[in-house]
Amino acid sequence: MTSSTRDRIVAESLRLFADRGYAATSVAEIEAAAGLSPGAGGLYRHFRSKEEVLAAAIREHIERTRQQVSDVLDQAFQYEGRPLEIRLRMTCQAGLAKMREEQDLIRVLFRDLDQFPNLVAEMREGIVNPLYDGIATWLSQQPEFADSDEDWAAIASILGGAVVNYWLANESMYEPPTRIDEKRFVAGWARLGLGLVNLDRTPASS
């Protein structure tokens, strides 16, 4: 399918912002990357400013994330016949794949988005929190956890945070923590999840 000019502007701007930084990327460079005549004002036929292009990119990722979370939860029942450990591994792998999918947006977030706190808030509420909520919902719906009275939101923040930390360490330091490869990380993550089955809760001390 041929992408529209608007879609090309959004995609290429995000790639350039990730590679060079928001401030260092000119409108003319975005136009050239999107197949427009650089400096001719083609971007302004679709967006009022460079910031509006960035906002559009974030909102497109928000909508895609919303749909992905909805699809995963709707289709989860198809895998209930598989062992829980396999389902947990699939969930961890999906989380790592999502991090890779969002790598340009993540780079822009850490490099430039402190200039745009409103866009950070949109990312938090539209991408980050829905992903953690999705993990919590998925965990709570697994048959093996049906009788568990757990704080799934807190557990999701731990398991989801582990995925985020593993990917960010690999991305920023060019190798995973203590050189644990992805296969071992996924297996360890699944083992942690398995530990929630029939877990005896220790009463909290006052």
Side-chain angles (χ1 to χ4, degrees):
M1 181 184 295
T2 303
S3 61
S4 68
T5 300
R6 184 185 186 284
D7 289 342
R8 291 199 306 274
I9 290 171
V10 170
E12 291 301 324
S13 68
L14 189 59
R15 180 184 64 80
L16 289 169
F17 295 157
D19 288 346
R20 304 180 185 181
Y22 176 86
T25 300
S26 68
V27 168
E29 288 170 330
I30 295 171
E31 290 171 335
L36 303 173
S37 298
L43 179 145
Y44 295 110
R45 296 188 182 95
H46 302 271
F47 300 96
R48 289 174 295 182
S49 66
K50 192 169 69 169
E51 181 179 346
E52 192 172 275
V53 180
L54 175 58
I58 290 172
R59 287 161 191 159
E60 287 186 11
H61 281 250
I62 287 172
E63 177 56 27
R64 183 168 67 194
T65 298
R66 184 198 64 77
Q67 189 60 54
Q68 287 171 334
V69 171
S70 176
D71 289 346
V72 166
L73 294 176
D74 286 345
Q75 297 166 12
F77 73 93
Q78 299 177 14
Y79 304 100
E80 287 182 359
R82 299 189 183 186
L84 177 59
E85 185 170 5
I86 298 300
R87 281 177 273 140
L88 286 163
R89 290 187 186 210
M90 291 171 63
T91 301
C92 184
Q93 289 163 343
L96 290 169
K98 180 63 175 173
M99 294 296 294
R100 284 189 284 269
E101 178 185 304
E102 301 292 355
Q103 62 182 357
D104 283 349
L105 191 56
I106 292 168
R107 288 172 183 159
V108 175
L109 170 65
F110 283 103
R111 175 182 285 172
D112 293 305
L113 281 193
D114 58 338
Q115 305 172 53
F116 309 108
N118 58 315
L119 295 181
V120 173
E122 286 195 46
M123 278 190 66
R124 182 179 63 246
E125 299 304 322
I127 297 178
V128 178
N129 287 347
L131 287 172
Y132 282 106
D133 290 343
I135 295 171
T137 300
W138 182 87
L139 286 167
S140 70
Q141 291 176 347
Q142 300 313 294
E144 293 84 353
F145 301 146
D147 298 324
S148 300
D149 182 21
E150 296 291 347
D151 184 347
W152 293 116
I155 291 170
S157 73
I158 295 166
L159 293 176
V163 171
V164 171
N165 178 74
Y166 180 83
W167 186 87
L168 286 177
N170 205 4
E171 176 76 4
S172 60
M173 291 180 275
Y174 309 109
E175 65 177 35
T178 61
R179 301 183 178 87
I180 301 298
D181 64 32
E182 187 169 313
K183 183 177 180 180
R184 289 176 64 195
F185 174 78
V186 170
W189 194 94
R191 292 294 298 168
L192 284 176
L194 280 175
L196 295 167
V197 179
N198 299 322
L199 184 65
D200 291 329
R201 297 172 67 97
T202 302
S205 57
S206 56

